[in-house]
Amino acid sequence: MLRTALKTLEAQLHEQQMVLGSLKAICLEQEREIAKKVEHIDSLRRVIGEMNGDAPNDRRSKKQRNSANDASNSAAQRIREMAKAILREAGRPMTQRAIKVKMDEIGFVIESEKPVELIRIYLNRAKDEFRRIGDEGYVALD
């Protein structure tokens, strides 16, 4: 009787794990679609701004512009959000290179000549969101 109960519980656990895996995949897909839409909206806003003459007279330094981009729903934020989802799903520390490989697998594109370096920079800047665990890589802090 105990063996039957054990097999039933194991089957239920397996089913729940399968459902959870499916839900995680759906969440990653939704996050990717959201990131694409945000990028499209940003692009449209830039075009509209240029049409209205709101553009190129920006005399702020490169660092100030990057900080402003980081504060909005920028590429930096999208990269951090995707990395956070990947780390949550993995349930273990991952290096920035492993995070990039996973991003490639799910179709998340980083427009950069050095995307792995960009991931490292953005994760290191977000000390309240990520922590580096020695050579093991990063973990999400939520």
Side-chain angles (χ1 to χ4, degrees):
M1 180 156 164
L2 287 176
R3 287 187 179 142
T4 304
L6 176 61
K7 286 187 183 226
T8 301
L9 286 173
E10 287 174 335
Q12 289 173 349
L13 175 62
H14 180 70
E15 180 65 28
Q16 286 177 320
Q17 288 172 329
M18 296 299 289
V19 169
L20 180 59
S22 296
L23 291 173
K24 285 180 179 180
I26 290 169
C27 287
L28 284 173
E29 178 65 27
Q30 288 294 313
E31 288 175 350
R32 186 171 57 237
E33 287 182 31
I34 288 169
K36 286 179 184 177
K37 287 180 182 176
V38 166
E39 193 172 302
H40 187 70
I41 288 169
D42 289 346
S43 175
L44 289 174
R45 284 185 177 149
R46 279 191 301 274
V47 169
I48 290 169
E50 289 171 6
M51 289 172 50
N52 292 333
D54 295 343
N57 289 334
D58 190 355
R59 292 192 174 132
R60 294 177 297 163
S61 71
K62 184 176 181 180
K63 186 173 183 174
Q64 286 173 321
R65 285 193 303 271
N66 286 344
S67 295
N69 285 342
D70 286 352
S72 67
N73 196 358
S74 64
Q77 185 169 347
R78 290 189 303 272
I79 289 169
R80 287 192 306 265
E81 287 174 2
M82 184 57 66
K84 195 179 297 182
I86 289 169
L87 289 167
R88 275 193 223 121
E89 182 180 345
R92 61 177 174 75
M94 293 177 71
T95 64
Q96 65 260 22
R97 186 168 310 282
I99 293 169
K100 172 65 170 97
V101 167
K102 189 67 175 171
M103 287 177 173
D104 289 343
E105 287 174 8
I106 60 177
F108 185 84
V109 177
I110 299 175
E111 298 294 329
S112 172
E113 290 180 24
K114 298 181 179 181
V116 174
E117 181 71 10
L118 203 56
I119 291 169
R120 183 190 61 77
I121 289 168
Y122 289 150
L123 298 189
N124 284 339
R125 285 183 184 172
K127 296 191 184 310
D128 58 328
E129 296 178 59
F130 300 94
R131 178 169 291 132
R132 183 163 177 86
I133 310 295
D135 291 338
E136 294 179 53
Y138 293 89
V139 293
L141 299 176
D142 17 55

